C-alpha cells in the first residue's frame, strides 16, 4: 500500500473524527448484562490476586484490595475480570495447585468476600471469570491425602495415576513423559511404614498430582465446582491446561510423532466430550468457558471451539511471533481463518502471568515468546520495547474478537529481571536448575501511587514489604504517576478501550488494506488501523483523520514502531 501525504490532522484522541465514524464509545458503562454474546468482543482484564492490590496491609494482594480498586477497573473500560486461582492452596505453583475449590485462600479472603466482589463488580458492569484447573490438584487436596493413605489399587488411588516403579525394586520411574516444568513427571511415594511405595504422575510439579479423568468422581466433582461458582454469580470459567487433561490409560512412553488425537497426553479426542458436558452446565447459567489451549495446529485448536464446546480460547500463536509485519499478518490471517468455520471469536493476548512482559519482550533481539528460550541476562532495549508494546496493544485492540489484558500491561510495566534469587518462588525457575528465571518477573506487585514505601500496593500508612520485592523505581509506573499524563500508557489504554466500545471496533467488518509492506494496515468499518513495523516514517493518507496514536506522529507521518487509528472520510 502507498500511503499518500496527509492533510493537517490533529492528534486529538477521540475528537470530532472519532464521533463522526461511530468510533465514539457507547455510554461509558459496560455491556448490558442482558447481552448473552458479550464475550465475543469483550475486553477481559486478568487479575493475579496476590500481586494486584493489598487491602489489609500484610504485603499480599487480596480480595479486599481488588474491591478497593474496582473503580479503577471500571474507569479502564473493561468488560470482565479473569481471576487466576484464588482458592485455598499451598501456592507451590502460584495457586494452580488447588487444595479446596470451595474455599478462598485465607491470605486473600473468604467466599463471602468473593461473593461481595462478584456482585460489586457486576454493579459496575464488570463480569467475573474464575480459573478451574482440571488437570491436577494440590498434593494437599483431600483426595490426594486419602490416596496416599490408601492401598495400591484402591479406588482413592484410581482418581490419580499411581503406578508401580520399574526395575527389580520399583526404583525406576514408570514412564518417560517430559514435564512442562522440566524434570521428571513421576514422584515416588512413601508407604505408611516408611518403605518406598508407588509412584504418581504429575505433568507439572510433584505438588500437582494429575487427576484421572476416566474416574467418575473426577468428572462429577468438577461439574459441581463449576456450579458452585456459577451459583455465586460468576460469568465464566477459564479452563487451565485444557488440552492436557485426558490421558491414554496405558500411559505409553512418548515416542515420535502422533496422528491427530493419538498423543498420550495432549489434545486427545476424549477431551471434547468432557467439555461438552461443561458447556451444558455453562449454558444453564449463560456462562462462558475460556480454554487455555497451547496447540500448534490451529485446526485442532479450533475443534475445541465448536458451538457445543468451549466458547473461546487464548490465542498464543500471536504471542509466539516476533515483532514484524509478516509474522503478525500471518498470525492474524491464520487465526481468523481457523475461527471462522466454528463461529467462535478469536482472542488476542499480548501477555499473561506466565510470560515475559511485552515491554521487555519487544525490546529484545528475538521478541517472540517461547518458554524454553527464557534465560537470565537476555538484553532488552526498554525504550524500543515500550514503543512497540504500545503499538502492539493498539494492534490487538483493533482486531475482531475478544481482548485479554494482563494487569500492569496497561501501566507499561517491564519484566522485573533482577529479583534477588533468594526471593524467587516460581517452580519453573527451580526445576530448570536455575537456568530459566521463571515467571516471578511479571508477577511483581502493582505500583499504585508514587509516595508510599511499597508504591501504594498496601493501604495508606502501611509499609509492609510486598511479597515479591518491587524495583526501586517502580513508583514511576504507578497509576498516580500516569493518570493525568496524556502521553502515558495508562491514558493510551483508557482511550483505546473506550474507543474499542464504539461500533466500528465492536462490529466493523475486517478487511486487509495491504499484504506486503512493513505497515500492517486493515479496516474495521470506517476505522483504518496502521502499525509501522518498519524502520522509516511512512506518510499518512490524506483522506483520513487521526483518532488515536500509540506515539507522537511527526510531519503527518507514522514513525517506526507506532500504531494509529484513522477515521476514513470515504466510507
Ligand atoms: C497454566 C497456568 O497459566 C500456569 O500458571 C500454571 O503453572 C500451569 N497451567 C499449571 O497449572
Ligand atoms: Ca493482604
Amino acid at each position: 500500500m502507498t500511503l499518500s501525504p496527509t492533510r493537517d490532522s490533529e492528534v486529538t484522541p477521540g475528537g470530532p473524527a472519532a464521533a463522526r465514524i461511530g468510533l465514539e464509545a457507547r455510554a461509558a458503562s459496560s455491556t448490558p448484562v442482558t447481552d448473552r454474546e458479550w464475550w465475543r468482543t469483550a475486553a477481559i482484564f486478568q487479575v493475579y490476586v496476590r500481586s494486584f492490590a493489598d487491602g489489609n496491609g500484610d504485603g499480599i494482594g487480596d480480595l479486599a484490595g481488588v474491591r478497593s480498586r474496582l473503580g479503577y477497573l471500571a474507569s479502564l473500560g473493561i468488560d470482565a475480570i479473569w481471576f487466576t486461582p484464588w482458592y485455598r492452596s499451598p501456592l507451590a505453583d502460584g495457586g494452580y495447585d488447588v487444595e479446596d475449590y470451595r474455599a478462598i485462600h485465607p491470605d486473600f479472603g473468604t467466599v463471602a468476600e468473593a461473593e461481595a466482589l462478584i456482585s460489586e463488580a457486576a454493579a459496575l458492569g464488570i463480569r467475573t471469570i474464575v480459573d478451574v484447573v482440571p488437570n491436577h490438584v494440590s498434593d494437599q487436596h483431600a483426595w490426594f491425602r486419602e490416596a496416599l493413605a490408601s492401598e495400591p489399587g484402591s479406588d482413592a488411588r484410581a482418581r490419580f495415576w499411581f503406578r508401580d516403579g520399574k526395575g527389580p525394586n520399583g526404583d525406576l520411574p514408570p514412564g518417560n513423559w517430559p514435564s512442562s516444568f522440566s524434570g521428571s513427571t513421576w514422584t515416588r511415594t512413601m508407604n505408611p511404614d516408611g518403605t518406598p511405595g508407588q509412584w504418581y504422575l504429575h505433568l507439572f510439579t510433584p505438588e500437582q498430582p494429575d487427576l484421572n479423568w476416566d474416574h467418575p468422581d473426577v468428572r462429577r466433582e468438577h461439574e459441581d465446582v463449576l456450579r458452585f461458582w456459577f451459583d455465586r454469580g460468576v460469568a465464566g470459567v477459564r479452563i487451565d491446561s485444557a488440552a492436557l487433561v485426558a490421558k491414554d490409560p496405558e500411559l505409553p512412553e512418548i515416542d515420535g510423532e502422533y496422528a491427530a488425537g493419538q498423543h498420550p497426553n495432549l489434545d486427545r479426542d476424549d477431551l471434547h466430550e468432557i467439555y461438552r458436558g461443561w458447556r451444558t452446565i455453562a449454558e444453564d447459567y449463560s456462562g462462558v468457558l475460556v480454554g487455555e489451549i497451547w496447540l500448534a495446529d490451529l485446526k485442532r485448536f479450533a475443534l475445541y471451539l465448536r458451538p457445543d464446546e468451549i466458547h473461546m480460547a487464548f490465542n498464543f500463536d500471536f504471542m509466539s511471533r516476533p515483532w514484524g509485519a509478516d509474522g503478525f499478518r500471518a498470525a492474524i490471517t491464520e487465526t481468523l481463518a481457523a475461527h471462522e468455520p466454528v463461529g467462535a471469536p478469536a482472542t488476542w493476548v499480548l501477555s499473561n502471568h506466565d510470560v515475559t512482559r511485552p515491554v521487555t519482550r519487544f525490546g529484545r533481539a528475538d521478541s517472540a515468546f517461547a518458554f524454553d528460550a527464557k534465560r537470565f541476562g537476555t538484553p532488552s532495549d526498554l525504550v524500543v520495547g515500550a514503543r512497540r508494546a504500545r503499538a502492539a496493544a493498539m494492534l490487538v485492540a483493533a482486531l475482531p474478537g475478544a481482548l485479554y489484558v494482563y494487569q500492569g500491561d496497561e501501566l507499561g510495566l517491564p519484566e522485573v529481571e533482577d529479583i534477588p534469587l533468594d526471593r524467587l518462588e516460581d517452580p519453573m525457575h527451580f526445576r530448570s536448575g536455575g537456568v530459566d528465571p521463571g515467571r516471578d518477573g511479571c508477577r511483581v506487585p502493582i505500583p499504585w501511587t508514587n509516595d508510599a514505601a511499597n508504591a501504594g500496593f498496601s493501604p495508606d500508612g502501611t509499609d509492609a514489604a510486598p511479597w515479591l520485592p518491587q524495583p526501586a523505581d517502580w513508583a514511576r509506573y504507578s497509576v498516580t504517576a500516569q493518570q493525568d499524563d496524556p502521553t502515558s500508557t495508562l491514558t493510551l489504554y483508557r482511550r483505546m478501550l473506550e474507543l474499542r466500545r464504539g461500533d466500528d471496533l465492536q462490529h466493523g467488518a475486517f478487511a486487509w488494506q495491504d499484504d506486503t509492506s512493513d505497515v500492517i494496515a486493515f479496516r474495521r468499518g470506517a476505522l483504518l488501523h496502521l502499525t509501522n513495523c518498519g524502520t522509516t516514517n511512512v506518510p499518512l493518507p490524506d483522506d483520513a483523520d487521526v483518532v488515536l496514536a500509540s506515539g507522537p506522529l511527526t510531519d503527518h507521518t507514522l514513525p517506526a514502531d507506532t500504531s494509529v487509528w484513522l477515521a476514513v472520510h470515504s466510507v
Side-chain angles (χ1 to χ4, degrees):
M1 180 176 76
T2 315
L3 295 172
S4 48
T6 183
R7 60 192 188 78
D8 279 356
S9 56
E10 259 182 67
V11 189
T12 310
R20 184 164 45 70
I21 61 159
L23 259 179
E24 206 40 85
R26 53 179 193 259
S29 70
S30 59
T31 332
V33 275
T34 49
D35 179 3
R36 287 185 57 127
E37 299 282 291
W38 65 275
W39 48 276
R40 290 184 169 274
T41 56
I44 299 168
F45 187 86
Q46 181 190 352
V47 167
Y48 191 82
V49 179
R50 208 176 171 199
S51 301
F52 186 65
D54 170 21
N56 68 352
D58 63 359
I60 303 168
D62 49 37
L63 302 191
V66 179
R67 289 169 73 188
S68 74
R69 299 294 181 183
L70 283 174
Y72 169 76
L73 294 175
S75 76
L76 204 52
I78 57 158
D79 300 296
I81 308 172
W82 149 37
F83 290 96
T84 46
W86 55 13
Y87 320 105
R88 183 186 292 278
S89 159
L91 303 180
D93 180 20
Y96 285 93
D97 47 321
V98 179
E99 184 180 333
D100 183 353
Y101 275 108
R102 297 174 183 80
I104 295 289
H105 193 293
D107 286 347
F108 300 163
T110 62
V111 170
E113 282 181 275
E115 287 171 343
L117 194 172
I118 293 163
S119 62
E120 287 161 10
L124 294 170
I126 300 174
R127 292 168 164 90
T128 296
I129 295 175
V130 291
D131 212 320
V132 169
V133 189
N135 185 67
H136 45 266
V137 288
S138 161
D139 63 349
Q140 299 306 308
H141 188 282
W143 278 3
F144 195 68
R145 289 166 180 262
E146 187 189 342
L148 287 182
S150 304
E151 292 298 312
S154 60
D155 195 46
R157 289 206 171 186
R159 292 176 182 140
F160 298 91
W161 297 102
F162 280 86
R163 291 289 184 272
D164 293 332
K166 289 186 176 161
N169 302 314
D171 288 344
L172 300 173
N176 72 353
W177 290 3
S179 167
S180 313
F181 281 2
S182 329
S184 174
T185 47
W186 290 94
T187 292
R188 194 161 197 187
T189 62
M190 194 75 91
N191 293 320
D193 66 1
T195 56
Q198 284 192 300
W199 298 68
Y200 66 91
L201 175 74
H202 50 85
L203 292 187
F204 296 90
T205 70
E207 293 84 5
Q208 294 165 292
D210 277 42
L211 289 165
N212 173 6
W213 272 79
D214 297 330
H215 195 294
D217 287 356
V218 174
R219 287 172 188 245
R220 223 176 4 247
E221 167 64 3
H222 281 83
E223 294 181 358
D224 260 24
V225 165
L226 295 188
R227 290 190 190 283
F228 179 90
W229 285 104
F230 279 132
D231 282 337
R232 276 157 186 79
V234 306
V237 171
R238 171 200 182 259
I239 311 171
D240 184 72
S241 305
L244 293 174
V245 169
K247 313 283 184 316
D248 179 334
E250 301 301 321
L251 307 182
E253 302 291 39
I254 292 176
D255 190 12
E257 299 284 305
Y258 291 91
Q262 301 300 309
H263 188 281
N265 69 26
L266 178 67
D267 185 31
R268 292 183 63 78
D269 289 334
D270 16 350
L271 287 167
H272 296 284
E273 181 254 318
I274 295 173
Y275 298 130
R276 285 196 182 100
W278 287 33
R279 178 67 177 246
T280 314
I281 295 168
E283 289 297 333
D284 286 349
Y285 295 88
S286 305
V288 172
L289 303 174
V290 188
E292 190 212 13
I293 300 176
W294 295 84
L295 282 185
D297 181 340
L298 287 182
K299 285 211 171 76
R300 291 288 298 180
F301 172 89
L303 291 181
Y304 292 87
L305 305 178
R306 287 176 286 194
D308 59 347
E309 298 192 38
I310 297 172
H311 294 73
M312 57 180 156
F314 299 116
N315 164 14
F316 296 124
D317 180 47
F318 188 85
M319 210 165 66
S320 68
R321 307 284 183 146
W323 175 264
D326 290 344
F328 284 169
R329 258 195 300 262
I332 295 166
T333 303
E334 289 161 24
T335 298
L336 294 177
H339 286 72
E340 205 271 333
V342 286
T347 69
W348 304 101
V349 182
L350 285 183
S351 83
N352 62 34
H353 65 294
D354 292 331
V355 311
T356 312
R357 290 272 188 194
V359 166
T360 303
R361 176 161 68 88
F362 285 129
R364 288 183 174 160
D366 179 359
S367 56
F369 177 74
F371 280 108
D372 52 10
K374 286 181 79 178
R375 291 289 177 273
F376 282 105
T378 311
S380 175
D381 180 336
L382 295 184
V383 174
V384 172
R387 224 165 38 222
R388 292 181 173 177
R390 290 167 60 108
M394 280 186 66
L395 170 60
V396 291
L399 289 167
L403 175 70
Y404 282 82
V405 177
Y406 175 48
Q407 70 180 35
D409 280 358
E410 85 282 14
L411 302 176
L413 296 183
E415 184 85 357
V416 180
E417 301 195 277
D418 56 357
I419 300 173
L421 291 183
D422 63 354
R423 300 294 301 275
L424 293 178
E425 296 207 358
D426 184 12
M428 267 191 136
H429 165 66
F430 298 106
R431 288 177 62 84
S432 74
V435 166
D436 177 342
R439 301 164 295 178
D440 294 299
C442 66
R443 300 175 177 180
V444 172
I446 295 293
W448 290 95
T449 63
N450 30 14
D451 54 3
N454 42 37
F457 178 65
S458 294
D460 274 358
T462 52
D463 54 7
W467 72 275
L468 264 182
Q470 298 164 314
D473 68 344
W474 211 223
R476 79 185 170 95
Y477 297 103
S478 72
V479 173
T480 311
Q482 297 197 37
Q483 63 196 358
D484 300 321
D485 174 357
T487 67
S488 73
T489 300
L490 177 57
T491 301
L492 177 72
Y493 262 83
R494 283 196 166 134
R495 189 60 187 142
M496 191 179 87
L497 293 176
E498 187 184 13
L499 291 167
R500 197 176 170 282
R501 289 172 171 234
D503 265 354
D504 282 297
L505 288 178
Q506 289 286 301
H507 309 298
F510 173 88
W512 286 118
Q513 300 297 293
D514 171 32
D515 54 12
T516 52
S517 77
D518 280 337
V519 179
I520 296 175
F522 57 82
R523 288 272 289 264
R524 292 293 311 279
L527 174 128
L528 173 62
H529 172 94
L530 304 175
T531 301
N532 186 356
C533 297
T535 52
T536 54
N537 287 32
V538 177
L540 290 169
D542 58 5
D543 59 345
D545 294 332
V546 174
V547 177
L548 186 68
S550 66
L553 305 178
T554 42
D555 299 329
H556 319 304
T557 64
L558 182 64
D561 303 332
T562 307
S563 287
V564 66
W565 289 350
L566 299 160
V568 180
H569 291 175
S570 46
V571 280

